[in-house]
Amino acid sequence: MRDYKIAPSILSADFARLGEEVTNVIASGADIVHFDVMDNHYVPNLTIGPLVCEALRKHGVKADIDVHLMVKPVDRIIPDFAKAGATYITFHPEGSEHIDRSLQLVRDSGCKCGLVFNPATPLDYLKYVMDKVDMILLMSVNPGFGGQSFIRSSLDKLREVRKLIDASGRPIRLEIDGGVKVDNIREIAEAGADTFVAGSAIFSAGKPGDPNRYNSVVKAMRDELAKAKG
Ligand code: DX5
Ligand code: ZN
C-alpha cells in the first residue's frame, strides 16, 4: 500500500475557531494541513495569508502545512509563507511568469515546492521541471471554492501523472484537490493519488461524540484507502 496522506482543507473549517479545528482534525488522524490562499484576482474568492499560517504554528500546530497558492503573481508572497511556517508551497503555472524561478524561490526559502494543474491545464509545464518538484497537485474542481463536485476526467490525468512520477524515480507526492469524499477516495487512490485534500467532506462530518470531532470521517477515509488496489 502507498504511503497515503489525508490533507484536510481548512477552507471548510470554522474560521472563528481555526486553531482548535486544526488541532482536532490532526488529532483525529489526518496528516497534513491544506491551506488555501485565494486573492480575488487569480480566483474569484479571498481567503487567508501568512499571518494565519504563523498563528497556527504559534497555536502549536506541528503537522506539515501545505500552502496552496491561488494567487497571481506568486513570487512576492512565497518568502512570507516560508517564514510563517509553511512546509510545502504549491502554485499554479498560470500564476507565475517564470515557473522555474518561482520553484527555485520556494526551495531557496527552505520549503518543498509543487506545481498545481487546473482541470483544463495541460501537463506540459512539468516536462522540464520534474527534477525540481516535490509535489504535483491536480485540481479535480476549478479553483476558488470548496464543496464542488469531483470532475471525473481528473482520474485519467492522475493515471498519466502517476506514470510520469514512477518513470522519474523521484519521491514526488501526487495530490488531488476538490470533491474528494469517503465514497470516491478509493477510486482516486487507485488512479494514482497518494495525498488527498478534503475540505467539506471532513469539516461537515464532525461528530460531537468523537474524541476529537473528526475521528469517524478520517477513519472512514482510511478504511477506504486500505481497500485500494495499486
Ligand atoms: C478549491 C480549494 C480546495 C477546496 C476543496 O479551490 O483548492 O482545497 O477547499 O474543498 P472540497 O474538498 O470541499 O472540494
Ligand atoms: Zn486547495
Side-chain angles (χ1 to χ4, degrees):
M1 198 169 96
R2 284 188 206 286
D3 170 31
Y4 294 126
K5 304 270 190 213
I6 294 177
S9 161
I10 58 174
L11 189 59
S12 294
D14 178 350
F15 276 119
R17 296 186 298 111
L18 189 58
E20 188 189 330
E21 287 271 76
V22 172
T23 301
N24 276 339
V25 83
I26 296 296
S28 293
D31 304 290
I32 298 176
V33 180
H34 185 78
F35 193 106
D36 285 308
V37 185
M38 304 185 185
D39 68 348
N40 189 39
H41 167 68
Y42 177 63
V43 290
N45 201 354
L46 185 65
T47 59
I48 45 180
L51 285 175
V52 177
C53 184
E54 194 183 351
L56 289 178
R57 287 296 186 213
K58 284 188 179 149
H59 186 75
V61 173
K62 299 274 187 290
D64 285 355
I65 298 183
D66 166 31
V67 172
H68 173 194
L69 293 180
M70 287 162 275
V71 309
K72 186 178 180 172
V74 293
D75 290 3
R76 229 291 300 136
I77 204 77
I78 285 172
D80 293 5
F81 270 106
K83 275 189 218 105
T87 312
Y88 290 91
I89 299 180
T90 66
F91 62 89
H92 293 244
E94 298 90 339
S96 168
E97 293 293 341
H98 308 286
I99 296 163
D100 183 275
R101 175 182 288 155
S102 301
L103 289 171
Q104 198 55 54
L105 180 58
V106 175
R107 287 251 175 114
D108 290 347
S109 306
C111 297
K112 295 181 184 166
C113 64
L115 276 183
V116 192
F117 294 86
N118 287 332
T121 302
L123 296 169
D124 309 16
Y125 292 104
L126 274 180
K127 190 169 172 192
Y128 300 105
V129 294
M130 278 301 279
D131 57 333
K132 292 182 177 159
V133 294
D134 303 293
M135 179 182 270
I136 297 167
L137 168 51
L138 296 189
M139 294 303 299
S140 39
V141 298
N142 289 294
F145 303 95
Q148 304 179 76
S149 302
F150 185 86
I151 296 175
R152 289 194 58 82
S153 60
S154 317
L155 294 171
D156 285 334
K157 212 170 178 183
L158 277 173
R159 284 185 267 269
E160 220 177 311
V161 180
R162 172 47 60 198
K163 281 191 201 139
L164 293 175
I165 293 176
D166 289 350
S168 80
R170 298 196 57 250
I172 302 171
R173 296 211 74 85
L174 177 48
E175 186 172 47
I176 186 86
D177 184 2
V180 176
K181 313 225 169 290
V182 173
D183 59 13
N184 64 7
I185 197 168
R186 175 179 171 185
E187 185 181 20
I188 295 167
E190 286 174 348
D194 56 27
T195 307
F196 306 85
V197 176
S200 50
I202 291 181
F203 286 103
S204 70
K207 288 200 175 136
D210 278 6
N212 307 101
R213 192 168 176 86
Y214 300 107
N215 307 69
S216 302
V217 62
V218 173
K219 180 175 186 308
M221 287 183 169
R222 289 227 188 271
D223 289 349
E224 284 299 305
L225 288 173
K227 293 185 227 157
K229 299 181 196 76

